[in-house]
Amino acid sequence: MFRATAEQIAASGLSHRLQEVLWLVPASQSTHIVALSVLFASAMLINLRLLGVGIRGRSASQLARTLVPWMWRALIVLLFTGALQTLIEPVRQFVTPIFWGKMVLVVLLALLTRWVARTLRDNAAQWDDAATRPAVARVFAVVSTLGWVTVIAFGRFIGYVWEKYA
């Protein structure tokens, strides 16, 4: 199903023009990695705080207020650079089930992060105090951490397994 779409994109003039710019793939991949690092580090700081470890001088709501905007900016950069890489090498992305798993995880984690950020903002006193912090905060922290680690692993594995599906 996705193969035909990938081949159409690969045959497009835009894809061919982008492929001719030799520095575009390494620059896009490098930017992608930096943005992923910003997003993951921000998520980890918030998650660790929700688990009761990490930066002691700042509450979870303060960290979220500071870092969640950085996460959204990083996600925008990730989506742009990822789309660019997909336009350059669409078959490599679209035929791999790991790519689609990664995309589903990114959407789910973004929605989950949005919900927790709003909940943290609206219930800061409850979520900031370890004694009253709901159990869902710890569940979120673990799920978010495992989810982002999986996104990173899936992204890395695309380059190694895509030929199996090509």
Side-chain angles (χ1 to χ4, degrees):
M1 175 171 119
F2 296 115
R3 184 177 222 17
T5 303
E7 289 173 355
Q8 283 181 321
I9 294 169
S12 72
L14 176 60
S15 182
H16 286 288
R17 282 191 294 280
L18 292 173
Q19 291 169 23
E20 292 172 359
V21 182
L22 298 178
W23 58 266
L24 196 54
V25 170
S28 174
Q29 288 175 341
S30 298
T31 305
H32 199 76
I33 290 168
V34 170
L36 183 57
S37 299
V38 169
L39 189 148
F40 183 70
S42 298
M44 286 305 301
L45 288 169
I46 295 167
N47 293 344
L48 287 171
R49 196 69 202 108
L50 288 173
L51 291 170
V53 295
I55 300 172
R56 295 275 183 217
R58 303 209 43 210
S59 67
S61 63
Q62 290 171 328
L63 281 172
R65 196 170 33 256
T66 302
L67 297 174
V68 168
W70 282 97
M71 291 174 71
W72 294 130
R73 292 179 194 119
L75 185 58
I76 290 167
V77 172
L78 283 167
L79 294 174
F80 175 75
T81 56
L84 191 59
Q85 292 170 41
T86 301
L87 284 170
I88 295 169
E89 298 178 303
V91 173
R92 178 179 173 151
Q93 311 295 334
F94 283 6
V95 300
T96 309
I98 290 175
F99 170 79
W100 295 106
K102 175 184 167 183
M103 293 299 101
V104 167
L105 275 174
V106 167
V107 169
L108 292 175
L109 288 165
L111 292 172
L112 192 59
T113 299
R114 181 177 176 221
W115 174 77
V116 167
R118 283 186 177 182
T119 302
L120 254 170
R121 183 189 66 222
D122 295 343
N123 303 301
Q126 180 186 17
W127 279 56
D128 286 342
D129 183 5
T132 61
R133 186 175 297 136
V136 72
R138 287 179 286 286
V139 171
F140 164 78
V142 171
V143 168
S144 172
T145 300
L146 293 174
W148 287 118
V149 167
T150 304
V151 166
I152 292 167
F154 278 14
R156 194 66 203 117
F157 277 103
I158 290 169
Y160 294 106
V161 302
W162 76 273
E163 289 177 325
K164 177 181 176 183
Y165 300 97

